[in-house]
């Protein structure tokens, strides 16, 4: 089969690889009908996330048709079923899964010994996302093996297109969880840094959850235009001071809730001197992440507020302002997304017409164009916000 394969830093190729097979009784194989490139894939593209190996298949946003099931799937899936595959692989049985904390499933990370050393305790296995999370082949391919498939799936009704359903596997529940973690009240201002795909979903989720106003911060015109179309007030941080504008929009009190949808790769620019220092530290391997957005959110957030972090961080970040964080009594909520906690509700919202997640798609291309589209997406060329690939 054809698949997008990691060969090193900024080197993704469309290779012919061995077709997946049933390896365990709870496995299923799907024929991938749609997959996507995620912003967090760019962290792998840039080799900021450790433990990628040449030959690893990329991708954690995929859906398709079930073509084979293991004997232990126990009737929960059958050939011909159409499913979205959550990026978090879950057993559905461990203590964390029973609590709904699916992204920290205690069972599915088959490289638990590595993750225990890196994180203190292992997280769940993830598709296409380094050997620290299990080294599972990803979904940017013609076929995908789904481990623990009886639990790790979202059935898709025939009434929904691939474009409407695909993002249930990651960016829609990720944006939703980012907003839900904020405990939004009807009087709240929610500030969201980053208007990429997750930021766009967070904007719409915050408004659906009742925020009084949502303020979106970015510097890419197309992203800001999409944010405005979703109901946000926008700030272009290259044209005006984020701190001053947020003060104006909140009567000097600051936003009650802040969402960092950027993570470790904050934009590097002269207007944010700390990012230049972060980039220099990255180059000499003295720091792994550029946490400018997190610093800014801590500084501007209203005392007693909440900061939610869906943006991926990989390791060590310097100069986090712990004094303001502690003295202002801020709450920070983080985590990879507990996808299956949210998907029943979100599927209903799509079916009822409250939201159509396909709005975020700007490019649809065949799988073979994937390596080129990684660069288009990374460079934000051709007004690119979200890429869907068709194997």
């Amino acid at each position: 089969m054809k698949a997008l394969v990691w060969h090193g830093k900024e080197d993704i190729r469309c290779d012919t690889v061995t077709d997946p097979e049933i390896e365990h009784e709870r496995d299923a194989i799907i024929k991938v009908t749609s997959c996507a490139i995620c912003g967090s894939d760019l962290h792998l593209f840039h080799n900021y996330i450790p433990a990628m190996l040449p030959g690893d298949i990329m991708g954690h946003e995929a859906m398709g048709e079930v073509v084979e099931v293991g004997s232990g799937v126990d009737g929960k899936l059958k050939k011909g079923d159409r499913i979205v595959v959550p990026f978090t692989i879950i057993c559905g049985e461990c203590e964390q899964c029973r609590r709904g904390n699916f992204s920290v499933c205690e069972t599915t990370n088959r490289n638990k010994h590595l993750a225990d050393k890196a994180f203190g305790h292992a997280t769940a296995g993830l598709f296409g996302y380094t050997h620290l999370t299990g080294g599972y082949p990803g979904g940017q391919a013609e076929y995908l093996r789904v481990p623990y498939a009886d639990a790790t799936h979202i059935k898709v009704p025939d009434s929904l297109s691939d474009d409407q359903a695909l993002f249930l596997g990651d960016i829609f529940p990720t944006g939703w969880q980012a907003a839900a973690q904020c405990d939004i009240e009807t009087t709240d201002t929610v500030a969201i840094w980053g208007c990429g795909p997750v930021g766009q979903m967070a904007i719409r989720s915050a408004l659906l959850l009742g925020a009084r106003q949502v303020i979106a911060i970015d510097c890419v015109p197309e992203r800001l235009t999409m944010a405005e179309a979703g109901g946000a007030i926008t700030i272009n941080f290259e044209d005006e001071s984020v701190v001053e504008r947020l003060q104006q929009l909140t009567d000097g009190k600051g936003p009650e809730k802040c969402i960092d949808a950027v993570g470790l790769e904050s934009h590097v620019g002269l207007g944010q001197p700390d990012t230049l220092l972060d980039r220099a530290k990255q180059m000499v391997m003295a720091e792994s992440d550029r946490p400018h957005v997190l610093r800014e959110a801590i500084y501007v957030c209203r005392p007693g507020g909440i900061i939610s972090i869906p943006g991926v961080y990989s390791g060590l970040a310097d100069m986090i302002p712990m004094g303001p964080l502690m003295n202002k009594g801020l709450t920070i909520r983080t985590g990879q997304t507990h996808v299956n906690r949210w998907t029943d509700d979100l599927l209903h919202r799509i079916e009822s017409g409250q939201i159509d997640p396909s709005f975020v798609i700007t490019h649809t291309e065949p799988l073979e164009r994937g390596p080129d589209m990684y660069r288009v997406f990374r460079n934000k060329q051709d007004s690119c916000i979200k890429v869907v690939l068709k194997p």
Side-chain angles (χ1 to χ4, degrees):
M1 69 172 184
K2 296 291 186 182
L4 300 189
V5 177
W6 192 89
H7 286 272
K9 182 178 179 180
E10 299 183 8
D11 186 2
I12 306 293
R13 306 176 196 171
C14 187
D15 291 344
T16 299
V17 301
T18 303
D19 288 359
E21 298 178 348
I22 297 289
E23 299 178 15
H24 185 275
E25 64 178 8
R26 293 178 69 181
D27 287 354
I29 307 294
I30 69 165
K31 177 179 173 59
V32 178
T33 55
S34 295
C35 55
I37 300 174
C38 182
S40 54
D41 287 329
L42 294 181
H43 304 327
L44 307 181
F45 184 73
H46 294 143
N47 202 25
Y48 284 141
I49 306 287
M52 289 293 289
L53 295 175
D56 288 345
I57 298 174
M58 297 287 292
H60 57 269
E61 292 184 287
M63 66 177 293
E65 179 182 336
V66 176
V67 294
E68 190 175 356
V69 294
S71 61
V73 174
D74 196 27
K76 293 182 178 177
L77 284 178
K78 65 181 186 301
K79 290 182 182 180
D81 280 347
R82 190 160 157 255
I83 64 170
V84 170
V85 181
F87 77 94
T88 48
I89 302 169
I90 64 171
C91 73
E93 299 169 348
C94 70
E95 181 180 354
Q96 294 285 17
C97 282
R98 291 197 302 271
R99 292 172 179 268
N101 298 329
F102 297 113
S103 74
V104 287
C105 172
E106 298 169 319
T107 305
T108 58
N109 191 335
R110 59 187 181 182
N111 289 335
K112 184 179 185 300
H113 63 290
L114 293 177
D116 281 345
K117 291 178 181 178
F119 302 138
H121 297 281
T123 63
L126 307 180
F127 288 101
Y129 217 79
T130 93
H131 291 265
L132 287 176
T133 56
Y136 289 97
Q140 291 170 4
E142 293 181 307
Y143 293 90
L144 173 66
R145 180 177 78 92
V146 183
Y148 300 92
D150 52 324
T152 306
H153 72 268
I154 304 159
K155 286 189 179 179
V156 178
D158 291 338
S159 59
L160 298 185
S161 68
D162 273 23
D163 287 353
Q164 290 175 295
L166 174 60
F167 303 132
L168 283 168
D170 182 2
I171 62 169
F172 187 15
T174 296
W176 184 268
Q177 178 173 299
Q181 288 181 154
C182 287
D183 295 339
I184 292 172
E185 300 179 17
T186 55
T187 54
D188 281 346
T189 292
V190 181
I192 300 174
W193 281 257
C195 296
V198 168
Q200 298 291 342
M201 297 298 173
I203 289 165
R204 287 151 179 83
S205 297
L207 290 168
L208 283 171
L209 287 168
R212 180 176 66 84
Q213 66 176 351
V214 173
I215 304 166
I217 303 154
D218 206 298
C219 68
V220 179
E222 294 82 7
R223 290 182 173 189
L224 292 169
T225 297
M226 185 177 282
E228 287 180 346
I233 301 166
T234 59
I235 299 174
N236 185 330
F237 64 78
E238 291 189 334
D239 295 339
E240 57 185 331
S241 166
V242 173
V243 175
E244 291 177 4
R245 184 70 173 131
L246 285 175
Q247 288 288 87
Q248 292 170 2
L249 291 167
T250 60
D251 297 323
K253 295 182 177 181
E256 289 92 347
K257 310 295 165 59
C258 297
I259 295 175
D260 173 2
V262 175
L264 70 92
E265 290 193 74
S266 285
H267 180 81
V268 177
L270 294 175
Q272 299 84 31
D274 60 317
T275 64
L276 300 175
L277 181 57
D278 285 332
R279 188 69 187 98
K281 289 180 179 178
Q282 282 182 319
M283 292 173 70
V284 298
M285 301 184 71
E287 183 182 22
S288 57
D289 299 5
R290 300 194 299 268
H292 167 78
V293 164
L294 181 56
R295 296 184 191 117
E296 193 164 71
I298 291 170
Y299 185 76
V300 303
C301 191
R302 184 176 301 196
I306 295 173
I307 297 174
S308 177
I309 309 176
V312 172
Y313 285 88
S314 69
L316 301 176
D318 288 352
M319 299 189 301
I320 301 300
M322 292 302 298
L325 174 65
M326 181 270 172
N327 285 289
K328 290 165 68 175
L330 303 181
T331 298
I332 289 185
R333 292 176 175 163
T334 69
Q336 296 282 6
T337 309
H338 307 305
V339 175
N340 292 75
R341 181 190 292 182
W342 313 108
T343 48
D344 286 350
D345 179 33
L346 298 184
L347 183 60
H348 170 72
R349 290 175 185 273
I350 297 171
E351 289 183 294
S352 66
Q354 291 183 45
I355 186 170
D356 181 351
S358 66
F359 77 87
V360 80
I361 300 170
T362 55
H363 291 69
T364 302
E365 298 287 346
L367 183 69
E368 291 79 3
R369 287 217 63 215
D372 292 333
M373 295 313 298
Y374 262 87
R375 290 174 173 79
V376 169
F377 182 40
R378 188 270 308 274
N379 296 333
K380 302 175 181 65
Q381 297 171 333
D382 192 30
S383 302
C384 183
I385 295 176
K386 187 66 176 178
V387 178
V388 171
L389 300 172
K390 300 288 186 177

